[in-house]
Every structure is written in C-alpha cells, then in structure tokens.
Amino acid sequence: SQKIEQNSEALNIQEGKTATLTCNYTNYSPAYLQWYRQDPGRGPVFLLLIRENEKEKRKERLKVTFDTTLKQSLFHITASQPADSATYLCALDMTGNTPLVFGKGTRLSVIA
Amino acid sequence: NAGVMQNPRHLVRRRGQEARLRCSPMKGHSHVYWYRQLPEEGLKFMVYLQKENIIDESGMPKERFSAEFPKEGPSILRIQQVVRGDSAAYFCASSSDRETGELFFGEGSRLTVL
C-alpha cells in the first residue's frame, strides 16, 4: 500500500528564512498531491494542489514542487513569519477518484 | 457562506455508550468525507458519502461504526458501544467536485471516552 513520509516531525527556522518541507511517497505516483495547513485544535485548511504532470505551483509566498522520478514533493514558504507556525500536511490522491491519503505532518515553528 | 459545520465540538462518553457526530457540508457540496485523527497521528480516512449513498467505506471499522448522509439533513457518523480507543478527533470534509479533490474541513468533533 502507498506510504507517505514527511521529512521530520518538527522543523524550527528563523523568521525571514525559507522553510522547506518534504513529502516522500512509495509505489506509484498520485494523480494529485495536495498540501494543507493545520493549527492546533482546528481542521486542516487547503493550501495548494499540484497535478502529476506539473512540476511547480506557486501561490503568494508558497511554492510546491512535484518530482515523480524522486517520488517527492517539496513545500517552500519564503520570507517565513511567526504566523506561518503550524503543522503542514501532505496528501495524495492516487487516481483522482480515491480518498485523500494524508501524511503525519511536519510541525513548523518560525522563531522571531 | 458558512463553511463545514460539525457538532458537537466536544463529546464525552462512557464506555458502552453511543456517540453521534454530525456534519453539515458547505452549501452546494454533495461529497462528504469522514477522517479520524489520533494524537501525533495523521488523518485516517474512514468513509466517503454522497447524498443517500456510501461510496467508499474502506476505512471504517467493520463493527460499531456506521455513517449516513440522508437526502435531508446532515451527515451522521455513529459509533456504538464506544471504547477508550475510540477517543480521537473526528473531522468531516466536503467537496463540490470529486475530480479536483480539494477538501474543505470542519473544525472537528473531539470524542473522549471515559
């Protein structure tokens, strides 16, 4: 079965730096890969979706890449701010018609 | 336009009781998903429903758990004879289009079994 690994449970970075989070998966590539943000005690909030045939997607300070050869997605937050501190979840949609499978998440802390 | 509404936000039950969690999807959304999240664990898919139909229940435990999404009213996740291991946050999500897959989540219902 498909396994998803997010690089680390926690990541601490200095304000203003670029945060890079990693999502690796096994087996075959998903049709879509999505990133969500989850704050403590809240539900996940959708951030970005990237398709199998796309290499990169941007939205304001966020950038997602998708490398089907490496079976990896990178999620970047540039000019990070303390308000970016949250848990970021990677999710795979294998066929475009299957339920999203989520990674455990990476807890990002941006230190002022 | 209200988002996904879940209630109750917090529910405490004793072992053996029943828990009913309700979810109203976003207006215009006909796809509903239930996920369970344990502390320090990822979101685990449970069930996917459309109006009056269960589309995929591959993540649902075979016993004690059931879900419905009636023609009128919210989706219900029902857990019978709860045990301590059922303590978790249960999230509902909805979408308007199955193909794109972007999900809108509620704030969750936190079940504590004493």
mmCIF file with all atom_site columns, all heavy atoms in Angstrom, chain A residues 32 34 36 38 41-44 49 97-100, chain B residues 35 37 56 91 98-103 105-107 110:
data_model
loop_
_atom_site.group_PDB
_atom_site.id
_atom_site.type_symbol
_atom_site.label_atom_id
_atom_site.label_alt_id
_atom_site.label_comp_id
_atom_site.label_asym_id
_atom_site.label_entity_id
_atom_site.label_seq_id
_atom_site.pdbx_PDB_ins_code
_atom_site.Cartn_x
_atom_site.Cartn_y
_atom_site.Cartn_z
_atom_site.occupancy
_atom_site.B_iso_or_equiv
_atom_site.pdbx_formal_charge
_atom_site.auth_seq_id
_atom_site.auth_comp_id
_atom_site.auth_asym_id
_atom_site.auth_atom_id
_atom_site.pdbx_PDB_model_num
ATOM 1   N N   . TYR A 1 32  ? -2.815  13.528 -8.019  1.00 0.00 ? 32  TYR A N   1
ATOM 2   C CA  . TYR A 1 32  ? -2.723  14.860 -7.417  1.00 0.00 ? 32  TYR A CA  1
ATOM 3   C C   . TYR A 1 32  ? -1.987  14.758 -6.101  1.00 0.00 ? 32  TYR A C   1
ATOM 4   O O   . TYR A 1 32  ? -2.064  13.748 -5.413  1.00 0.00 ? 32  TYR A O   1
ATOM 5   C CB  . TYR A 1 32  ? -4.115  15.443 -7.105  1.00 0.00 ? 32  TYR A CB  1
ATOM 6   C CG  . TYR A 1 32  ? -5.081  15.462 -8.246  1.00 0.00 ? 32  TYR A CG  1
ATOM 7   C CD1 . TYR A 1 32  ? -6.018  14.455 -8.401  1.00 0.00 ? 32  TYR A CD1 1
ATOM 8   C CD2 . TYR A 1 32  ? -5.070  16.513 -9.159  1.00 0.00 ? 32  TYR A CD2 1
ATOM 9   C CE1 . TYR A 1 32  ? -6.906  14.480 -9.444  1.00 0.00 ? 32  TYR A CE1 1
ATOM 10  C CE2 . TYR A 1 32  ? -5.964  16.540 -10.200 1.00 0.00 ? 32  TYR A CE2 1
ATOM 11  C CZ  . TYR A 1 32  ? -6.890  15.519 -10.344 1.00 0.00 ? 32  TYR A CZ  1
ATOM 12  O OH  . TYR A 1 32  ? -7.769  15.532 -11.376 1.00 0.00 ? 32  TYR A OH  1
ATOM 13  N N   . GLN A 1 34  ? -1.530  17.275 -2.628  1.00 0.00 ? 34  GLN A N   1
ATOM 14  C CA  . GLN A 1 34  ? -2.056  18.487 -2.006  1.00 0.00 ? 34  GLN A CA  1
ATOM 15  C C   . GLN A 1 34  ? -1.320  18.778 -0.708  1.00 0.00 ? 34  GLN A C   1
ATOM 16  O O   . GLN A 1 34  ? -0.802  17.874 -0.059  1.00 0.00 ? 34  GLN A O   1
ATOM 17  C CB  . GLN A 1 34  ? -3.545  18.322 -1.703  1.00 0.00 ? 34  GLN A CB  1
ATOM 18  C CG  . GLN A 1 34  ? -4.391  17.986 -2.912  1.00 0.00 ? 34  GLN A CG  1
ATOM 19  C CD  . GLN A 1 34  ? -5.862  17.926 -2.577  1.00 0.00 ? 34  GLN A CD  1
ATOM 20  O OE1 . GLN A 1 34  ? -6.331  18.549 -1.630  1.00 0.00 ? 34  GLN A OE1 1
ATOM 21  N NE2 . GLN A 1 34  ? -6.611  17.169 -3.359  1.00 0.00 ? 34  GLN A NE2 1
ATOM 22  N N   . TYR A 1 36  ? -1.853  20.915 3.017   1.00 0.00 ? 36  TYR A N   1
ATOM 23  C CA  . TYR A 1 36  ? -2.806  21.546 3.925   1.00 0.00 ? 36  TYR A CA  1
ATOM 24  C C   . TYR A 1 36  ? -2.055  22.101 5.125   1.00 0.00 ? 36  TYR A C   1
ATOM 25  O O   . TYR A 1 36  ? -0.997  21.605 5.499   1.00 0.00 ? 36  TYR A O   1
ATOM 26  C CB  . TYR A 1 36  ? -3.847  20.534 4.426   1.00 0.00 ? 36  TYR A CB  1
ATOM 27  C CG  . TYR A 1 36  ? -4.848  20.101 3.389   1.00 0.00 ? 36  TYR A CG  1
ATOM 28  C CD1 . TYR A 1 36  ? -4.508  19.183 2.398   1.00 0.00 ? 36  TYR A CD1 1
ATOM 29  C CD2 . TYR A 1 36  ? -6.143  20.604 3.407   1.00 0.00 ? 36  TYR A CD2 1
ATOM 30  C CE1 . TYR A 1 36  ? -5.429  18.790 1.443   1.00 0.00 ? 36  TYR A CE1 1
ATOM 31  C CE2 . TYR A 1 36  ? -7.086  20.209 2.461   1.00 0.00 ? 36  TYR A CE2 1
ATOM 32  C CZ  . TYR A 1 36  ? -6.715  19.303 1.489   1.00 0.00 ? 36  TYR A CZ  1
ATOM 33  O OH  . TYR A 1 36  ? -7.645  18.911 0.550   1.00 0.00 ? 36  TYR A OH  1
ATOM 34  N N   . GLN A 1 38  ? -2.630  22.895 9.263   1.00 0.00 ? 38  GLN A N   1
ATOM 35  C CA  . GLN A 1 38  ? -3.497  22.627 10.395  1.00 0.00 ? 38  GLN A CA  1
ATOM 36  C C   . GLN A 1 38  ? -2.948  23.312 11.640  1.00 0.00 ? 38  GLN A C   1
ATOM 37  O O   . GLN A 1 38  ? -1.801  23.080 12.029  1.00 0.00 ? 38  GLN A O   1
ATOM 38  C CB  . GLN A 1 38  ? -3.644  21.118 10.652  1.00 0.00 ? 38  GLN A CB  1
ATOM 39  C CG  . GLN A 1 38  ? -4.662  20.801 11.736  1.00 0.00 ? 38  GLN A CG  1
ATOM 40  C CD  . GLN A 1 38  ? -4.922  19.313 11.896  1.00 0.00 ? 38  GLN A CD  1
ATOM 41  O OE1 . GLN A 1 38  ? -4.092  18.482 11.563  1.00 0.00 ? 38  GLN A OE1 1
ATOM 42  N NE2 . GLN A 1 38  ? -6.100  18.975 12.419  1.00 0.00 ? 38  GLN A NE2 1
ATOM 43  N N   . GLY A 1 41  ? -5.988  22.279 17.383  1.00 0.00 ? 41  GLY A N   1
ATOM 44  C CA  . GLY A 1 41  ? -7.406  22.302 17.702  1.00 0.00 ? 41  GLY A CA  1
ATOM 45  C C   . GLY A 1 41  ? -8.311  22.718 16.559  1.00 0.00 ? 41  GLY A C   1
ATOM 46  O O   . GLY A 1 41  ? -9.509  22.926 16.772  1.00 0.00 ? 41  GLY A O   1
ATOM 47  N N   . ARG A 1 42  ? -7.752  22.831 15.362  1.00 0.00 ? 42  ARG A N   1
ATOM 48  C CA  . ARG A 1 42  ? -8.542  23.270 14.205  1.00 0.00 ? 42  ARG A CA  1
ATOM 49  C C   . ARG A 1 42  ? -8.520  22.212 13.112  1.00 0.00 ? 42  ARG A C   1
ATOM 50  O O   . ARG A 1 42  ? -7.723  21.273 13.140  1.00 0.00 ? 42  ARG A O   1
ATOM 51  C CB  . ARG A 1 42  ? -7.972  24.585 13.633  1.00 0.00 ? 42  ARG A CB  1
ATOM 52  C CG  . ARG A 1 42  ? -7.760  25.703 14.630  1.00 0.00 ? 42  ARG A CG  1
ATOM 53  C CD  . ARG A 1 42  ? -9.067  26.246 15.184  1.00 0.00 ? 42  ARG A CD  1
ATOM 54  N NE  . ARG A 1 42  ? -9.931  26.805 14.191  1.00 0.00 ? 42  ARG A NE  1
ATOM 55  C CZ  . ARG A 1 42  ? -9.866  28.069 13.769  1.00 0.00 ? 42  ARG A CZ  1
ATOM 56  N NH1 . ARG A 1 42  ? -8.935  28.883 14.234  1.00 0.00 ? 42  ARG A NH1 1
ATOM 57  N NH2 . ARG A 1 42  ? -10.732 28.519 12.879  1.00 0.00 ? 42  ARG A NH2 1
ATOM 58  N N   . GLY A 1 43  ? -9.403  22.389 12.135  1.00 0.00 ? 43  GLY A N   1
ATOM 59  C CA  . GLY A 1 43  ? -9.389  21.496 10.992  1.00 0.00 ? 43  GLY A CA  1
ATOM 60  C C   . GLY A 1 43  ? -8.349  21.926 9.966   1.00 0.00 ? 43  GLY A C   1
ATOM 61  O O   . GLY A 1 43  ? -7.942  23.085 9.934   1.00 0.00 ? 43  GLY A O   1
ATOM 62  N N   . PRO A 1 44  ? -7.902  20.999 9.124   1.00 0.00 ? 44  PRO A N   1
ATOM 63  C CA  . PRO A 1 44  ? -6.930  21.349 8.077   1.00 0.00 ? 44  PRO A CA  1
ATOM 64  C C   . PRO A 1 44  ? -7.528  22.339 7.089   1.00 0.00 ? 44  PRO A C   1
ATOM 65  O O   . PRO A 1 44  ? -8.727  22.312 6.816   1.00 0.00 ? 44  PRO A O   1
ATOM 66  C CB  . PRO A 1 44  ? -6.651  20.004 7.399   1.00 0.00 ? 44  PRO A CB  1
ATOM 67  C CG  . PRO A 1 44  ? -7.043  18.973 8.400   1.00 0.00 ? 44  PRO A CG  1
ATOM 68  C CD  . PRO A 1 44  ? -8.191  19.565 9.152   1.00 0.00 ? 44  PRO A CD  1
ATOM 69  N N   . LEU A 1 49  ? -2.634  22.571 -4.607  1.00 0.00 ? 49  LEU A N   1
ATOM 70  C CA  . LEU A 1 49  ? -2.764  21.283 -5.277  1.00 0.00 ? 49  LEU A CA  1
ATOM 71  C C   . LEU A 1 49  ? -1.847  21.289 -6.484  1.00 0.00 ? 49  LEU A C   1
ATOM 72  O O   . LEU A 1 49  ? -1.783  22.278 -7.223  1.00 0.00 ? 49  LEU A O   1
ATOM 73  C CB  . LEU A 1 49  ? -4.221  21.059 -5.699  1.00 0.00 ? 49  LEU A CB  1
ATOM 74  C CG  . LEU A 1 49  ? -4.586  19.795 -6.479  1.00 0.00 ? 49  LEU A CG  1
ATOM 75  C CD1 . LEU A 1 49  ? -6.050  19.445 -6.229  1.00 0.00 ? 49  LEU A CD1 1
ATOM 76  C CD2 . LEU A 1 49  ? -4.363  19.953 -7.983  1.00 0.00 ? 49  LEU A CD2 1
ATOM 77  N N   . ASN A 1 97  ? -9.867  9.747  -8.111  1.00 0.00 ? 97  ASN A N   1
ATOM 78  C CA  . ASN A 1 97  ? -11.169 9.226  -7.725  1.00 0.00 ? 97  ASN A CA  1
ATOM 79  C C   . ASN A 1 97  ? -11.065 8.375  -6.467  1.00 0.00 ? 97  ASN A C   1
ATOM 80  O O   . ASN A 1 97  ? -11.861 7.479  -6.244  1.00 0.00 ? 97  ASN A O   1
ATOM 81  C CB  . ASN A 1 97  ? -11.744 8.387  -8.868  1.00 0.00 ? 97  ASN A CB  1
ATOM 82  C CG  . ASN A 1 97  ? -13.231 8.190  -8.729  1.00 0.00 ? 97  ASN A CG  1
ATOM 83  O OD1 . ASN A 1 97  ? -13.923 9.050  -8.205  1.00 0.00 ? 97  ASN A OD1 1
ATOM 84  N ND2 . ASN A 1 97  ? -13.703 7.052  -9.176  1.00 0.00 ? 97  ASN A ND2 1
ATOM 85  N N   . THR A 1 98  ? -10.028 8.636  -5.682  1.00 0.00 ? 98  THR A N   1
ATOM 86  C CA  . THR A 1 98  ? -9.835  7.881  -4.445  1.00 0.00 ? 98  THR A CA  1
ATOM 87  C C   . THR A 1 98  ? -9.716  8.857  -3.289  1.00 0.00 ? 98  THR A C   1
ATOM 88  O O   . THR A 1 98  ? -9.332  10.010 -3.495  1.00 0.00 ? 98  THR A O   1
ATOM 89  C CB  . THR A 1 98  ? -8.568  7.019  -4.510  1.00 0.00 ? 98  THR A CB  1
ATOM 90  O OG1 . THR A 1 98  ? -7.483  7.821  -4.973  1.00 0.00 ? 98  THR A OG1 1
ATOM 91  C CG2 . THR A 1 98  ? -8.754  5.838  -5.429  1.00 0.00 ? 98  THR A CG2 1
ATOM 92  N N   . PRO A 1 99  ? -10.015 8.413  -2.093  1.00 0.00 ? 99  PRO A N   1
ATOM 93  C CA  . PRO A 1 99  ? -9.925  9.333  -0.946  1.00 0.00 ? 99  PRO A CA  1
ATOM 94  C C   . PRO A 1 99  ? -8.494  9.802  -0.725  1.00 0.00 ? 99  PRO A C   1
ATOM 95  O O   . PRO A 1 99  ? -7.540  9.064  -0.963  1.00 0.00 ? 99  PRO A O   1
ATOM 96  C CB  . PRO A 1 99  ? -10.389 8.470  0.225   1.00 0.00 ? 99  PRO A CB  1
ATOM 97  C CG  . PRO A 1 99  ? -11.133 7.339  -0.378  1.00 0.00 ? 99  PRO A CG  1
ATOM 98  C CD  . PRO A 1 99  ? -10.498 7.087  -1.695  1.00 0.00 ? 99  PRO A CD  1
ATOM 99  N N   . LEU A 1 100 ? -8.353  11.024 -0.270  1.00 0.00 ? 100 LEU A N   1
ATOM 100 C CA  . LEU A 1 100 ? -7.037  11.559 0.042   1.00 0.00 ? 100 LEU A CA  1
ATOM 101 C C   . LEU A 1 100 ? -6.377  10.753 1.154   1.00 0.00 ? 100 LEU A C   1
ATOM 102 O O   . LEU A 1 100 ? -7.014  10.437 2.154   1.00 0.00 ? 100 LEU A O   1
ATOM 103 C CB  . LEU A 1 100 ? -7.138  13.016 0.485   1.00 0.00 ? 100 LEU A CB  1
ATOM 104 C CG  . LEU A 1 100 ? -7.291  14.073 -0.585  1.00 0.00 ? 100 LEU A CG  1
ATOM 105 C CD1 . LEU A 1 100 ? -7.340  15.457 0.066   1.00 0.00 ? 100 LEU A CD1 1
ATOM 106 C CD2 . LEU A 1 100 ? -6.163  14.002 -1.583  1.00 0.00 ? 100 LEU A CD2 1
ATOM 107 N N   . TYR B 2 35  ? -12.838 11.652 8.480   1.00 0.00 ? 35  TYR B N   1
ATOM 108 C CA  . TYR B 2 35  ? -11.483 11.247 8.834   1.00 0.00 ? 35  TYR B CA  1
ATOM 109 C C   . TYR B 2 35  ? -11.359 11.214 10.351  1.00 0.00 ? 35  TYR B C   1
ATOM 110 O O   . TYR B 2 35  ? -12.025 11.956 11.064  1.00 0.00 ? 35  TYR B O   1
ATOM 111 C CB  . TYR B 2 35  ? -10.448 12.253 8.295   1.00 0.00 ? 35  TYR B CB  1
ATOM 112 C CG  . TYR B 2 35  ? -10.181 12.159 6.816   1.00 0.00 ? 35  TYR B CG  1
ATOM 113 C CD1 . TYR B 2 35  ? -11.047 12.735 5.891   1.00 0.00 ? 35  TYR B CD1 1
ATOM 114 C CD2 . TYR B 2 35  ? -9.053  11.493 6.343   1.00 0.00 ? 35  TYR B CD2 1
ATOM 115 C CE1 . TYR B 2 35  ? -10.792 12.642 4.530   1.00 0.00 ? 35  TYR B CE1 1
ATOM 116 C CE2 . TYR B 2 35  ? -8.786  11.405 4.987   1.00 0.00 ? 35  TYR B CE2 1
ATOM 117 C CZ  . TYR B 2 35  ? -9.666  11.985 4.090   1.00 0.00 ? 35  TYR B CZ  1
ATOM 118 O OH  . TYR B 2 35  ? -9.404  11.894 2.743   1.00 0.00 ? 35  TYR B OH  1
ATOM 119 N N   . GLN B 2 37  ? -8.450  11.428 13.528  1.00 0.00 ? 37  GLN B N   1
ATOM 120 C CA  . GLN B 2 37  ? -7.080  11.833 13.836  1.00 0.00 ? 37  GLN B CA  1
ATOM 121 C C   . GLN B 2 37  ? -6.795  11.532 15.303  1.00 0.00 ? 37  GLN B C   1
ATOM 122 O O   . GLN B 2 37  ? -7.440  12.076 16.200  1.00 0.00 ? 37  GLN B O   1
ATOM 123 C CB  . GLN B 2 37  ? -6.871  13.324 13.553  1.00 0.00 ? 37  GLN B CB  1
ATOM 124 C CG  . GLN B 2 37  ? -5.424  13.769 13.682  1.00 0.00 ? 37  GLN B CG  1
ATOM 125 C CD  . GLN B 2 37  ? -5.238  15.209 13.223  1.00 0.00 ? 37  GLN B CD  1
ATOM 126 O OE1 . GLN B 2 37  ? -6.034  16.088 13.534  1.00 0.00 ? 37  GLN B OE1 1
ATOM 127 N NE2 . GLN B 2 37  ? -4.170  15.466 12.472  1.00 0.00 ? 37  GLN B NE2 1
ATOM 128 N N   . ASP B 2 56  ? -17.467 4.859  -0.509  1.00 0.00 ? 56  ASP B N   1
ATOM 129 C CA  . ASP B 2 56  ? -16.257 4.147  -0.126  1.00 0.00 ? 56  ASP B CA  1
ATOM 130 C C   . ASP B 2 56  ? -16.208 4.106  1.392   1.00 0.00 ? 56  ASP B C   1
ATOM 131 O O   . ASP B 2 56  ? -16.130 5.151  2.026   1.00 0.00 ? 56  ASP B O   1
ATOM 132 C CB  . ASP B 2 56  ? -15.016 4.860  -0.702  1.00 0.00 ? 56  ASP B CB  1
ATOM 133 C CG  . ASP B 2 56  ? -13.714 4.138  -0.419  1.00 0.00 ? 56  ASP B CG  1
ATOM 134 O OD1 . ASP B 2 56  ? -13.647 3.269  0.487   1.00 0.00 ? 56  ASP B OD1 1
ATOM 135 O OD2 . ASP B 2 56  ? -12.708 4.455  -1.090  1.00 0.00 ? 56  ASP B OD2 1
ATOM 136 N N   . PHE B 2 91  ? -12.915 14.395 11.949  1.00 0.00 ? 91  PHE B N   1
ATOM 137 C CA  . PHE B 2 91  ? -13.079 15.525 11.040  1.00 0.00 ? 91  PHE B CA  1
ATOM 138 C C   . PHE B 2 91  ? -13.964 15.128 9.864   1.00 0.00 ? 91  PHE B C   1
ATOM 139 O O   . PHE B 2 91  ? -13.831 14.049 9.297   1.00 0.00 ? 91  PHE B O   1
ATOM 140 C CB  . PHE B 2 91  ? -11.723 15.988 10.504  1.00 0.00 ? 91  PHE B CB  1
ATOM 141 C CG  . PHE B 2 91  ? -10.884 16.697 11.533  1.00 0.00 ? 91  PHE B CG  1
ATOM 142 C CD1 . PHE B 2 91  ? -9.925  16.006 12.249  1.00 0.00 ? 91  PHE B CD1 1
ATOM 143 C CD2 . PHE B 2 91  ? -11.061 18.054 11.767  1.00 0.00 ? 91  PHE B CD2 1
ATOM 144 C CE1 . PHE B 2 91  ? -9.151  16.656 13.206  1.00 0.00 ? 91  PHE B CE1 1
ATOM 145 C CE2 . PHE B 2 91  ? -10.294 18.713 12.715  1.00 0.00 ? 91  PHE B CE2 1
ATOM 146 C CZ  . PHE B 2 91  ? -9.347  18.006 13.439  1.00 0.00 ? 91  PHE B CZ  1
ATOM 147 N N   . ARG B 2 98  ? -15.576 15.882 -7.268  1.00 0.00 ? 98  ARG B N   1
ATOM 148 C CA  . ARG B 2 98  ? -14.737 14.746 -6.904  1.00 0.00 ? 98  ARG B CA  1
ATOM 149 C C   . ARG B 2 98  ? -13.406 14.777 -7.650  1.00 0.00 ? 98  ARG B C   1
ATOM 150 O O   . ARG B 2 98  ? -12.393 14.360 -7.145  1.00 0.00 ? 98  ARG B O   1
ATOM 151 C CB  . ARG B 2 98  ? -15.466 13.435 -7.201  1.00 0.00 ? 98  ARG B CB  1
ATOM 152 C CG  . ARG B 2 98  ? -14.687 12.224 -6.758  1.00 0.00 ? 98  ARG B CG  1
ATOM 153 C CD  . ARG B 2 98  ? -14.533 12.243 -5.244  1.00 0.00 ? 98  ARG B CD  1
ATOM 154 N NE  . ARG B 2 98  ? -13.569 11.283 -4.770  1.00 0.00 ? 98  ARG B NE  1
ATOM 155 C CZ  . ARG B 2 98  ? -12.277 11.555 -4.601  1.00 0.00 ? 98  ARG B CZ  1
ATOM 156 N NH1 . ARG B 2 98  ? -11.809 12.773 -4.875  1.00 0.00 ? 98  ARG B NH1 1
ATOM 157 N NH2 . ARG B 2 98  ? -11.445 10.650 -4.164  1.00 0.00 ? 98  ARG B NH2 1
ATOM 158 N N   . GLU B 2 99  ? -13.411 15.297 -8.857  1.00 0.00 ? 99  GLU B N   1
ATOM 159 C CA  . GLU B 2 99  ? -12.219 15.199 -9.682  1.00 0.00 ? 99  GLU B CA  1
ATOM 160 C C   . GLU B 2 99  ? -11.054 16.031 -9.152  1.00 0.00 ? 99  GLU B C   1
ATOM 161 O O   . GLU B 2 99  ? -9.922  15.576 -9.154  1.00 0.00 ? 99  GLU B O   1
ATOM 162 C CB  . GLU B 2 99  ? -12.549 15.623 -11.126 1.00 0.00 ? 99  GLU B CB  1
ATOM 163 C CG  . GLU B 2 99  ? -13.401 14.615 -11.862 1.00 0.00 ? 99  GLU B CG  1
ATOM 164 C CD  . GLU B 2 99  ? -12.720 13.255 -11.915 1.00 0.00 ? 99  GLU B CD  1
ATOM 165 O OE1 . GLU B 2 99  ? -11.522 13.203 -12.227 1.00 0.00 ? 99  GLU B OE1 1
ATOM 166 O OE2 . GLU B 2 99  ? -13.383 12.248 -11.628 1.00 0.00 ? 99  GLU B OE2 1
ATOM 167 N N   . THR B 2 100 ? -11.310 17.240 -8.690  1.00 0.00 ? 100 THR B N   1
ATOM 168 C CA  . THR B 2 100 ? -10.191 18.074 -8.251  1.00 0.00 ? 100 THR B CA  1
ATOM 169 C C   . THR B 2 100 ? -9.725  17.695 -6.863  1.00 0.00 ? 100 THR B C   1
ATOM 170 O O   . THR B 2 100 ? -8.565  17.874 -6.536  1.00 0.00 ? 100 THR B O   1
ATOM 171 C CB  . THR B 2 100 ? -10.562 19.567 -8.257  1.00 0.00 ? 100 THR B CB  1
ATOM 172 O OG1 . THR B 2 100 ? -11.642 19.785 -7.360  1.00 0.00 ? 100 THR B OG1 1
ATOM 173 C CG2 . THR B 2 100 ? -10.932 20.009 -9.651  1.00 0.00 ? 100 THR B CG2 1
ATOM 174 N N   . GLY B 2 101 ? -10.627 17.212 -6.042  1.00 0.00 ? 101 GLY B N   1
ATOM 175 C CA  . GLY B 2 101 ? -10.232 16.648 -4.761  1.00 0.00 ? 101 GLY B CA  1
ATOM 176 C C   . GLY B 2 101 ? -9.943  17.603 -3.642  1.00 0.00 ? 101 GLY B C   1
ATOM 177 O O   . GLY B 2 101 ? -9.642  17.174 -2.542  1.00 0.00 ? 101 GLY B O   1
ATOM 178 N N   . GLU B 2 102 ? -9.987  18.926 -3.889  1.00 0.00 ? 102 GLU B N   1
ATOM 179 C CA  . GLU B 2 102 ? -9.741  19.863 -2.791  1.00 0.00 ? 102 GLU B CA  1
ATOM 180 C C   . GLU B 2 102 ? -10.825 19.690 -1.735  1.00 0.00 ? 102 GLU B C   1
ATOM 181 O O   . GLU B 2 102 ? -12.018 19.702 -2.051  1.00 0.00 ? 102 GLU B O   1
ATOM 182 C CB  . GLU B 2 102 ? -9.762  21.300 -3.319  1.00 0.00 ? 102 GLU B CB  1
ATOM 183 C CG  . GLU B 2 102 ? -9.663  22.355 -2.258  1.00 0.00 ? 102 GLU B CG  1
ATOM 184 C CD  . GLU B 2 102 ? -9.876  23.740 -2.841  1.00 0.00 ? 102 GLU B CD  1
ATOM 185 O OE1 . GLU B 2 102 ? -9.735  23.895 -4.074  1.00 0.00 ? 102 GLU B OE1 1
ATOM 186 O OE2 . GLU B 2 102 ? -10.207 24.653 -2.064  1.00 0.00 ? 102 GLU B OE2 1
ATOM 187 N N   . LEU B 2 103 ? -10.407 19.511 -0.496  1.00 0.00 ? 103 LEU B N   1
ATOM 188 C CA  . LEU B 2 103 ? -11.354 19.286 0.585   1.00 0.00 ? 103 LEU B CA  1
ATOM 189 C C   . LEU B 2 103 ? -11.455 20.498 1.503   1.00 0.00 ? 103 LEU B C   1
ATOM 190 O O   . LEU B 2 103 ? -10.456 21.156 1.794   1.00 0.00 ? 103 LEU B O   1
ATOM 191 C CB  . LEU B 2 103 ? -10.919 18.081 1.426   1.00 0.00 ? 103 LEU B CB  1
ATOM 192 C CG  . LEU B 2 103 ? -10.893 16.718 0.727   1.00 0.00 ? 103 LEU B CG  1
ATOM 193 C CD1 . LEU B 2 103 ? -10.551 15.630 1.727   1.00 0.00 ? 103 LEU B CD1 1
ATOM 194 C CD2 . LEU B 2 103 ? -12.202 16.426 0.038   1.00 0.00 ? 103 LEU B CD2 1
ATOM 195 N N   . PHE B 2 105 ? -12.508 21.308 5.276   1.00 0.00 ? 105 PHE B N   1
ATOM 196 C CA  . PHE B 2 105 ? -12.699 20.606 6.538   1.00 0.00 ? 105 PHE B CA  1
ATOM 197 C C   . PHE B 2 105 ? -13.487 21.438 7.545   1.00 0.00 ? 105 PHE B C   1
ATOM 198 O O   . PHE B 2 105 ? -13.394 22.669 7.575   1.00 0.00 ? 105 PHE B O   1
ATOM 199 C CB  . PHE B 2 105 ? -11.341 20.261 7.168   1.00 0.00 ? 105 PHE B CB  1
ATOM 200 C CG  . PHE B 2 105 ? -10.674 19.062 6.567   1.00 0.00 ? 105 PHE B CG  1
ATOM 201 C CD1 . PHE B 2 105 ? -9.891  19.183 5.444   1.00 0.00 ? 105 PHE B CD1 1
ATOM 202 C CD2 . PHE B 2 105 ? -10.836 17.810 7.139   1.00 0.00 ? 105 PHE B CD2 1
ATOM 203 C CE1 . PHE B 2 105 ? -9.271  18.074 4.878   1.00 0.00 ? 105 PHE B CE1 1
ATOM 204 C CE2 . PHE B 2 105 ? -10.214 16.685 6.591   1.00 0.00 ? 105 PHE B CE2 1
ATOM 205 C CZ  . PHE B 2 105 ? -9.441  16.827 5.465   1.00 0.00 ? 105 PHE B CZ  1
ATOM 206 N N   . GLY B 2 106 ? -14.216 20.709 8.396   1.00 0.00 ? 106 GLY B N   1
ATOM 207 C CA  . GLY B 2 106 ? -14.789 21.334 9.581   1.00 0.00 ? 106 GLY B CA  1
ATOM 208 C C   . GLY B 2 106 ? -13.750 21.414 10.678  1.00 0.00 ? 106 GLY B C   1
ATOM 209 O O   . GLY B 2 106 ? -12.601 20.991 10.497  1.00 0.00 ? 106 GLY B O   1
ATOM 210 N N   . GLU B 2 107 ? -14.168 21.957 11.829  1.00 0.00 ? 107 GLU B N   1
ATOM 211 C CA  . GLU B 2 107 ? -13.225 22.124 12.938  1.00 0.00 ? 107 GLU B CA  1
ATOM 212 C C   . GLU B 2 107 ? -13.087 20.855 13.767  1.00 0.00 ? 107 GLU B C   1
ATOM 213 O O   . GLU B 2 107 ? -12.283 20.811 14.693  1.00 0.00 ? 107 GLU B O   1
ATOM 214 C CB  . GLU B 2 107 ? -13.657 23.286 13.823  1.00 0.00 ? 107 GLU B CB  1
ATOM 215 C CG  . GLU B 2 107 ? -13.681 24.632 13.098  1.00 0.00 ? 107 GLU B CG  1
ATOM 216 C CD  . GLU B 2 107 ? -12.297 25.152 12.746  1.00 0.00 ? 107 GLU B CD  1
ATOM 217 O OE1 . GLU B 2 107 ? -11.335 24.360 12.617  1.00 0.00 ? 107 GLU B OE1 1
ATOM 218 O OE2 . GLU B 2 107 ? -12.159 26.378 12.587  1.00 0.00 ? 107 GLU B OE2 1
ATOM 219 N N   . ARG B 2 110 ? -14.294 16.354 18.941  1.00 0.00 ? 110 ARG B N   1
ATOM 220 C CA  . ARG B 2 110 ? -13.342 15.633 19.784  1.00 0.00 ? 110 ARG B CA  1
ATOM 221 C C   . ARG B 2 110 ? -14.090 14.734 20.756  1.00 0.00 ? 110 ARG B C   1
ATOM 222 O O   . ARG B 2 110 ? -14.788 15.229 21.645  1.00 0.00 ? 110 ARG B O   1
ATOM 223 C CB  . ARG B 2 110 ? -12.441 16.621 20.514  1.00 0.00 ? 110 ARG B CB  1
ATOM 224 C CG  . ARG B 2 110 ? -11.318 17.069 19.601  1.00 0.00 ? 110 ARG B CG  1
ATOM 225 C CD  . ARG B 2 110 ? -10.818 18.463 19.885  1.00 0.00 ? 110 ARG B CD  1
ATOM 226 N NE  . ARG B 2 110 ? -9.887  18.861 18.826  1.00 0.00 ? 110 ARG B NE  1
ATOM 227 C CZ  . ARG B 2 110 ? -10.260 19.355 17.640  1.00 0.00 ? 110 ARG B CZ  1
ATOM 228 N NH1 . ARG B 2 110 ? -11.527 19.551 17.377  1.00 0.00 ? 110 ARG B NH1 1
ATOM 229 N NH2 . ARG B 2 110 ? -9.372  19.660 16.739  1.00 0.00 ? 110 ARG B NH2 1
#
